[in-house]
């Protein structure tokens, strides 16, 4: 399953798991690489998103995650959560992001708010490409940033 969000949406998982069996094609590019793509404002809350063998979430608009656990099975240099919209604010609260490149910011002048969350990367925990300016805020002692 591959899910594309094209209008403002709140996805309340109600403590359930959303599982993607979509496998990223070897010739995929851009947004085609992600199991879930938001092209409009998206809030995901209260549940689990199991990504499988694809890049996880491609956020091409504002994204808020609250009480969500995202787990990616794909290894290597692949983003679990990719933040891609220039000048956008992203919020990760009370959540766990667990994947190869856990949180990757490809957007210019983005703000990434992380609070009471665990960010676990087998390749990188927080990544941004060197040509873009990104501001990570609200990182405090109770956040876990772990590189495995």
């Amino acid at each position: 399953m591959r899910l594309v969000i094209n209008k403002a949406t709140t996805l309340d998982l109600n403590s359930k798991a959303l599982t993607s069996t979509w496998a990223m094609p070897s010739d995929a590019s851009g947004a085609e690489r992600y199991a879930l793509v938001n092209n409009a404002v998206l809030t995901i809350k209260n549940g689990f998103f199991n990504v499988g063998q694809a890049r996880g979430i491609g956020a091409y608009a504002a994204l808020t995650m609250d009480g969500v656990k995202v787990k990616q099975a794909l290894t290597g240099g692949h983003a679990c959560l990719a933040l891609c919209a220039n000048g956008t604010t992203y919020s990760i609260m009370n959540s766990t992001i667990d994947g190869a490149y856990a949180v990757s910011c490809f957007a210019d002048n983005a703000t990434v708010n992380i609070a009471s969350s665990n960010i676990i990367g087998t390749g990188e925990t927080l990544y941004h490409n060197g040509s873009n300016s990104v501001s990570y805020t609200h990182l405090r002692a109770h956040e876990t940033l772990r590189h495995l």
Side-chain angles (χ1 to χ4, degrees):
M1 170 209 68
R2 185 164 181 267
L3 182 60
V4 178
I5 306 294
N6 289 317
K7 67 177 192 170
T9 302
T10 295
L11 182 58
D12 186 344
L13 298 173
N14 195 27
S15 300
K16 305 283 191 260
L18 177 64
T19 300
S20 174
T21 57
W22 185 74
M24 182 177 72
S26 60
D27 62 345
S29 63
E32 297 171 343
R33 298 175 178 158
Y34 299 97
L36 187 154
V37 174
N38 69 299
N39 295 316
V41 174
L42 175 63
T43 298
I44 306 173
K45 60 184 185 176
N46 304 323
F48 305 89
F49 181 43
N50 300 312
V51 177
Q53 293 297 318
R55 293 181 177 191
I57 300 171
Y60 290 84
L63 173 68
T64 298
M65 301 178 72
D66 190 2
V68 179
K69 180 173 184 179
V70 179
K71 175 71 175 159
Q72 174 190 42
L74 190 64
T75 60
H78 299 286
C80 183
L81 173 58
L83 311 175
C84 304
N86 293 341
T88 301
T89 298
Y90 298 96
S91 297
I92 303 167
M93 304 166 291
N94 309 306
S95 296
T96 297
I97 311 298
D98 185 353
Y101 276 50
V103 176
S104 301
C105 188
F106 301 106
D108 196 13
N109 298 316
T111 299
V112 182
N113 297 311
I114 300 173
S116 301
S117 296
N118 298 306
I119 311 298
I120 304 164
T122 56
E124 296 287 339
T125 50
L126 295 175
Y127 171 84
H128 71 93
N129 86 16
S131 65
N132 293 327
S133 170
V134 62
S135 173
Y136 293 100
T137 62
H138 300 297
L139 288 171
R140 295 182 295 269
H142 60 275
E143 271 72 66
T144 301
L145 301 177
R146 186 170 43 151
H147 175 76
L148 300 177

